[in-house]
Amino acid sequence: MSNSMFDVIQEDIDKLNEGLIEAVSSPVDLVTEIGTHLVTAGGKRIRPALCLLAAHGGPDYSLSRLLPLAEALELIHTASLVHDDVIDEADTRRGSITANAKWDNQVAILSGDYIFARAFGLIADGDYGNYVSKRLADLVCNLSVGEIIQNHTVYHAVKDLDNYYNRIQKKTADFLEICCELGAYVGGFGKEDVRRMAEYGHCIGMAFQITDDLLDILQTSEKIGKPAGNDIRQGIVTLPVIHALNVSEEAGELEKIVTDPAMTDEMVARALSIVKATDGVEIAKAKVEEYLDRAREVLPGNLAPEIREAFVMVADFIGDRDF
Ligand code: FPP
Ligand code: MG
Ligand code: MG
């Protein structure tokens, strides 16, 4: 994401980065080394930035009070990616080597656990109350359940769009929703403003993931740094593929490919061309616009102009990602 949308809180993000390094340091040097590698490996800090922005201008706003929460959100995200890279046997993330590739799976799993526990330590120290703890616990439950369901249904070609929306909500949208919601909540905004910020987070999360899934279908491998059609290859069906499975005359052939764990590169290319011949891509793009329009519209009316502008820029950025 372009940094300009977070310019307004850049100094806060610098402080957050220092806090993250401190949070992962341990009396055991190896733990510090792994933790530092993970929190400095190029994250965009979208989640903590949303949390800090959402808190701005609230009656209880205080950066020192907000930072541990924002750091915990980034640490939970980092821990989930460390575990995800073990599950997906990934060697690189954001251009850096993953913990499982640099060390091994055991080290990666345990480092993820360590970072995850540090996050909850920050939350306990912050004394944010039961509501914040409960929302974060629910978030991690949803992330885990989403991952379990996904791994259970790979190569199944579930043709139901609700299943897709449910999956991306658990995987991405719930997280961005909670960042916005808890930022506004701890900042001291009233119920209706907190609800609006939560809905904004949900909408940009849904739009972000649908766009990500579209990029996997439309972009060339050079551009995304991984082969196009990667989701299909991994047995994961996304919106345009599900649409094609429902409407394409070649749906039978497509289904045979996407349910075959041994599919070849040629089969992936054929699947992509069947999908692109339908209007699934257009439907997905329209859905992204729908979510982004709602995101801009639902922002609370009383935000400071520069904060509103930052939130609108985030929505614009998601809409402008080129295919
Ligand atoms: C990326 O998905 C990963 C996730 C959405 C979260 C995975 C969640 C867990 C492994 C459980 C949570 C555990 C803890 C400790 C919080 P992806 O593989 O589709 O995308 P990628 O291209 O970024 O790898
Ligand atoms: Mg992965
Ligand atoms: Mg994964």
Side-chain angles (χ1 to χ4, degrees):
M1 261 193 200
S2 141
N3 281 329
S4 59
M5 47 195 162
F6 301 139
D7 274 358
V8 55
I9 51 163
Q10 190 51 54
E11 283 176 27
D12 304 350
I13 298 290
D14 295 341
K15 286 212 179 89
L16 175 112
N17 285 332
E18 287 167 25
L20 288 173
I21 305 243
E22 205 179 302
V24 296
S25 67
S26 140
V28 180
D29 286 346
L30 177 63
V31 175
T32 307
E33 188 195 343
I34 298 165
T36 308
H37 172 81
L38 291 170
V39 300
T40 53
K44 296 181 287 280
R45 311 296 189 234
I46 294 169
R47 290 161 186 76
L50 288 172
C51 169
L52 294 173
L53 279 172
H56 256 272
D60 301 338
Y61 177 83
S62 139
L63 182 61
S64 56
R65 173 141 180 73
L66 260 301
L67 272 178
L69 171 62
E71 287 163 15
L73 291 166
E74 184 66 13
L75 291 177
I76 293 170
H77 175 55
T78 305
S80 72
L81 295 182
V82 174
H83 284 184
D84 177 70
D85 288 335
V86 173
I87 297 168
D88 293 345
E89 300 177 9
D91 296 335
T92 57
R93 171 170 300 275
R94 305 158 174 162
S96 295
I97 187 166
T98 55
N100 46 303
K102 190 170 160 87
W103 291 278
D104 58 44
N105 281 354
Q106 287 171 13
V107 167
I109 297 277
L110 293 168
S111 316
D113 291 342
Y114 181 83
I115 291 171
F116 185 49
R118 293 293 284 188
F120 276 86
L122 287 170
I123 295 300
D125 287 343
D127 204 9
Y128 299 109
N130 281 347
Y131 182 72
V132 171
S133 302
K134 175 83 176 100
R135 290 292 283 148
L136 291 174
D138 287 346
L139 165 71
V140 180
C141 287
N142 273 348
L143 275 178
S144 308
V145 166
E147 191 69 13
I148 291 168
I149 293 173
Q150 175 174 298
N151 293 339
H152 207 74
T153 53
V154 286
Y155 302 109
H156 277 221
V158 180
K159 283 178 228 153
D160 168 16
L161 266 182
D162 284 344
N163 172 285
Y164 170 75
Y165 288 124
N166 200 338
R167 256 193 286 137
I168 66 170
Q169 180 174 339
K170 286 196 165 66
K171 169 178 173 169
T172 307
D174 278 353
F175 209 147
L176 301 194
E177 172 177 330
I178 277 173
C179 293
C180 294
E181 178 195 344
L182 296 186
Y185 175 81
V186 173
F189 282 99
K191 244 190 170 143
E192 174 61 11
D193 289 339
V194 172
R195 189 200 66 75
R196 282 174 169 269
M197 277 316 312
E199 189 175 344
Y200 168 88
H202 168 78
C203 290
I204 59 162
M206 296 297 282
F208 186 83
Q209 192 57 51
I210 297 170
T211 306
D212 224 50
D213 295 343
L214 265 174
L215 287 173
D216 191 75
I217 288 171
L218 296 178
Q219 279 202 336
T220 57
S221 43
E222 302 83 64
K223 224 170 172 183
I224 43 174
K226 51 187 177 186
N230 212 31
D231 290 334
I232 290 178
R233 194 173 282 102
Q234 293 184 336
I236 297 166
V237 288
T238 58
L239 199 163
V241 180
I242 295 169
H243 179 73
L245 283 167
N246 282 298
V247 305
S248 171
E249 283 180 9
E250 285 138 333
E253 187 187 352
L254 179 62
E255 181 161 1
K256 255 191 150 160
I257 297 175
V258 299
T259 53
D260 181 357
M263 71 181 90
T264 61
D265 286 352
E266 290 70 31
M267 289 160 79
V268 175
R270 173 73 185 134
L272 287 174
S273 87
I274 294 174
V275 171
K276 286 186 207 167
T278 72
D279 56 350
V281 166
E282 293 316 312
I283 290 174
K285 284 183 178 173
K287 203 75 199 168
V288 168
E289 280 315 314
E290 205 179 293
Y291 275 116
L292 293 179
D293 284 346
R294 177 68 188 149
R296 295 182 192 100
E297 172 191 296
V298 79
L299 282 168
N302 52 356
L303 291 176
E306 70 277 16
I307 301 300
R308 165 175 293 274
E309 197 190 332
F311 280 126
V312 170
M313 275 164 82
V314 171
D316 292 345
F317 168 81
I318 295 171
D320 288 345
R321 286 170 82 189
D322 61 334
F323 295 106

